Amino acid sequence: MKIYDLHSHTTASDGQLSPTALVQRAVQQQVDALAITDHDSTEGWLEASEAVQKQKLPLQLVTGVEITCQWQQREIHLVGLRFAVNHPSLQSLLSQQRQYRYQRAQVIADYLAQQHGIMGIWQSLQHVNAKATALTRSHIANLLIQKHYGHYPAQVFQRYLIDATRAVGELAWCSLEQAIQQIQQAGGQAVLAHPDRYALKEPQFLELLNEFQAAGGQALEVAYSRQTTPQRQRLSLYAQRYQLLASAGSDFHYPGGVNELGRNLLLPSSSRAIWLSWGKQQRVMNKSVEQQYSL
Ligand code: AMP
Ligand code: MN
Ligand code: MN
Ligand code: MN
């Protein structure tokens, strides 16, 4: 059976591996189809697709992105798959999101300096920003660890970053509807990422699923790392109930962790896999968008 891993990160956002190293590792891990889904960035695509071509890697590379959306004062992540990567209005949305990430990082760095006397974060972030196109809170967490303010990311989030993020105030991410619309205009499919990581109570979770489906969302990420079998089965049932397809992705950020590429991503038999929809029809639709935007 083929292994599909449709959620992974590179150095274009907060992943540890370069796009080239990521596709090589995917092959080592026996992944057949991979989507690179950096936070609000498709920067890794070009390098990764060149590496696949030049090295003749046996890997189907799918365009991808993970868009941070705002929903009821929360951050919800949408994965976009199989879109024309150069589509101008999608790229303009992503560029706005990255600009917001930059501003947010500055507010967080100022907060850390003023409230905790932690100096130099903003300066160090300038070096990070030269490499990664999308600044994330993981980058700030890593800097705090380097400066000995904690030992591991969850700890510095708890100690500093959760409070510091509150200081940002009103969030300015795009809405679910905007993200879905842009992904679809670019010929792609919208997937609700890791649906049970938002700590939503049942009524609110159903509200989210309703809104996602009503806005044209196509799939739920049913299989991902760090899930129990009942959790996965529950998501598969919701996908069926809301007539959504099922996606699978490790959310890989670095080698050797619990989110290893291609590991433990089998969909329950009740799921209808999103890749089964990648037949002729979707290809034809993508072709016309691709021709327009010279993919
Ligand atoms: P951002 O999109 O900039 O908010 O950063 C998101 C990244 O921060 C994600 O990739 C998560 O892995 C990481 N993250 C968020 N919350 C936590 C937490 N409580 N502990 C550890 N990492 C976290
Ligand atoms: Mn991340
Ligand atoms: Mn996410
Ligand atoms: Mn992710």
Side-chain angles (χ1 to χ4, degrees):
M1 200 185 296
K2 277 188 165 187
I3 299 181
Y4 287 81
D5 190 334
L6 304 177
H7 189 152
S8 67
H9 295 269
T10 73
T11 43
S13 67
D14 56 351
Q16 240 178 42
L17 300 186
S18 69
T20 302
L22 180 76
V23 291
Q24 286 169 338
R25 187 170 185 90
V27 172
Q28 276 169 18
Q29 294 290 122
Q30 269 111 43
V31 171
D32 297 284
L34 176 78
I36 296 179
T37 56
D38 277 307
H39 298 285
D40 299 307
S41 170
T42 58
E43 195 73 15
W45 166 258
L46 191 63
E47 183 189 315
S49 54
E50 278 175 7
V52 168
Q53 269 177 14
K54 280 193 191 136
Q55 297 172 34
K56 298 192 171 39
L57 298 177
L59 181 70
Q60 181 187 354
L61 195 62
V62 174
T63 53
V65 69
E66 181 171 15
I67 302 181
T68 303
C69 304
Q70 194 166 318
W71 182 77
Q72 301 191 353
Q73 270 94 52
R74 287 167 184 276
E75 295 181 2
I76 300 289
H77 292 179
L78 281 199
V79 160
L81 295 176
R82 295 188 95 232
F83 47 84
V85 79
N86 294 324
H87 198 281
S89 55
L90 174 64
Q91 284 303 339
S92 134
L93 173 88
L94 297 181
S95 149
Q96 259 174 42
Q97 297 264 114
R98 290 195 300 271
Q99 211 175 339
Y100 176 55
R101 285 185 166 280
Y102 189 79
Q103 289 162 357
R104 183 180 69 143
Q106 190 164 21
V107 175
I108 293 175
D110 285 351
Y111 179 91
L112 292 172
Q114 278 159 23
Q115 298 295 317
H116 298 285
I118 302 175
M119 311 311 282
I121 295 286
W122 183 240
Q123 206 177 2
S124 306
L125 278 174
Q126 299 310 308
H127 299 291
V128 174
N129 195 46
K131 252 177 61 188
T133 57
L135 280 186
T136 71
R137 287 183 302 162
S138 290
H139 293 116
I140 305 178
N142 291 339
L143 290 173
L144 287 170
I145 294 166
Q146 269 174 35
K147 290 175 187 285
H148 308 289
Y149 286 100
H151 295 100
Y152 51 94
Q155 191 182 40
V156 288
F157 265 89
Q158 202 59 42
R159 280 189 188 164
Y160 303 103
L161 289 177
I162 293 173
D163 279 352
T165 308
R166 281 198 200 104
V168 177
E170 189 76 12
L171 297 170
W173 303 110
C174 65
S175 68
L176 280 181
E177 289 77 10
Q178 279 172 312
I180 294 171
Q181 194 189 15
Q182 292 309 326
I183 292 166
Q184 292 183 345
Q185 263 183 30
Q189 293 170 303
V191 182
L192 182 63
H194 40 67
D196 52 15
R197 277 201 205 143
Y198 305 116
L200 297 173
K201 296 218 169 79
E202 188 76 2
Q204 223 183 355
F205 183 59
L206 299 184
E207 218 180 309
L208 173 63
L209 294 182
N210 264 317
E211 216 174 292
F212 175 73
Q213 196 222 31
Q218 278 120 329
L220 287 193
E221 210 169 60
V222 166
Y224 48 93
S225 318
R226 291 185 286 157
Q227 246 179 341
T228 62
T229 305
Q231 277 174 327
R232 194 171 288 188
Q233 271 160 352
R234 171 176 172 265
L235 290 178
S236 184
L237 288 177
Y238 279 119
Q240 270 183 301
R241 194 186 294 174
Y242 284 82
Q243 296 176 320
L244 295 166
L245 300 168
S247 188
S250 62
D251 204 1
F252 175 85
H253 281 76
Y254 52 88
V258 282
N259 296 24
E260 186 51 86
L261 273 174
R263 192 78 57 76
N264 180 29
L265 294 176
L266 221 55
L267 287 173
S269 54
S270 54
S271 286
R272 186 172 145 68
I274 189 165
W275 47 89
L276 297 178
S277 74
W278 297 349
K280 225 168 153 191
Q281 208 179 1
Q282 167 95 20
R283 264 208 302 277
V284 169
M285 182 171 79
N286 268 358
K287 256 252 118 46
S288 69
V289 183
E290 277 166 19
Q291 275 162 0
Q292 232 177 321
Y293 298 107
S294 63
L295 218 204

mmCIF file of all heavy atoms in Angstrom, residues 9 14 39 253, ligand 2:
data_model
loop_
_atom_site.group_PDB
_atom_site.id
_atom_site.type_symbol
_atom_site.label_atom_id
_atom_site.label_comp_id
_atom_site.label_asym_id
_atom_site.label_seq_id
_atom_site.Cartn_x
_atom_site.Cartn_y
_atom_site.Cartn_z
ATOM 1 N N HIS A 9 6.942 20.031 7.275
ATOM 2 C CA HIS A 9 7.555 21.368 7.320
ATOM 3 C C HIS A 9 9.039 21.336 6.961
ATOM 4 O O HIS A 9 9.724 20.340 7.199
ATOM 5 C CB HIS A 9 7.390 21.972 8.717
ATOM 6 C CG HIS A 9 5.949 22.218 9.065
ATOM 7 N ND1 HIS A 9 5.330 23.407 8.806
ATOM 8 C CD2 HIS A 9 5.005 21.406 9.597
ATOM 9 C CE1 HIS A 9 4.052 23.331 9.187
ATOM 10 N NE2 HIS A 9 3.830 22.113 9.670
ATOM 11 N N ASP A 14 9.132 26.425 10.166
ATOM 12 C CA ASP A 14 9.806 25.983 11.387
ATOM 13 C C ASP A 14 10.284 24.538 11.353
ATOM 14 O O ASP A 14 10.498 23.938 12.396
ATOM 15 C CB ASP A 14 8.906 26.218 12.609
ATOM 16 C CG ASP A 14 7.548 25.546 12.474
ATOM 17 O OD1 ASP A 14 7.238 25.046 11.370
ATOM 18 O OD2 ASP A 14 6.799 25.511 13.464
ATOM 19 N N HIS A 39 4.154 26.770 7.189
ATOM 20 C CA HIS A 39 3.215 27.774 7.692
ATOM 21 C C HIS A 39 3.214 28.990 6.767
ATOM 22 O O HIS A 39 4.230 29.685 6.638
ATOM 23 C CB HIS A 39 3.618 28.223 9.101
ATOM 24 C CG HIS A 39 3.593 27.118 10.112
ATOM 25 N ND1 HIS A 39 2.423 26.614 10.618
ATOM 26 C CD2 HIS A 39 4.589 26.411 10.698
ATOM 27 C CE1 HIS A 39 2.703 25.661 11.500
ATOM 28 N NE2 HIS A 39 4.009 25.505 11.563
ATOM 29 N N HIS A 253 8.392 17.914 11.674
ATOM 30 C CA HIS A 253 9.202 19.126 11.820
ATOM 31 C C HIS A 253 10.705 18.812 11.885
ATOM 32 O O HIS A 253 11.513 19.626 11.487
ATOM 33 C CB HIS A 253 8.826 19.899 13.093
ATOM 34 C CG HIS A 253 7.564 20.716 12.958
ATOM 35 N ND1 HIS A 253 6.315 20.170 12.977
ATOM 36 C CD2 HIS A 253 7.366 22.049 12.811
ATOM 37 C CE1 HIS A 253 5.400 21.136 12.841
ATOM 38 N NE2 HIS A 253 6.013 22.275 12.738
HETATM 39 MN MN MN B 2 5.135 24.264 12.927
#
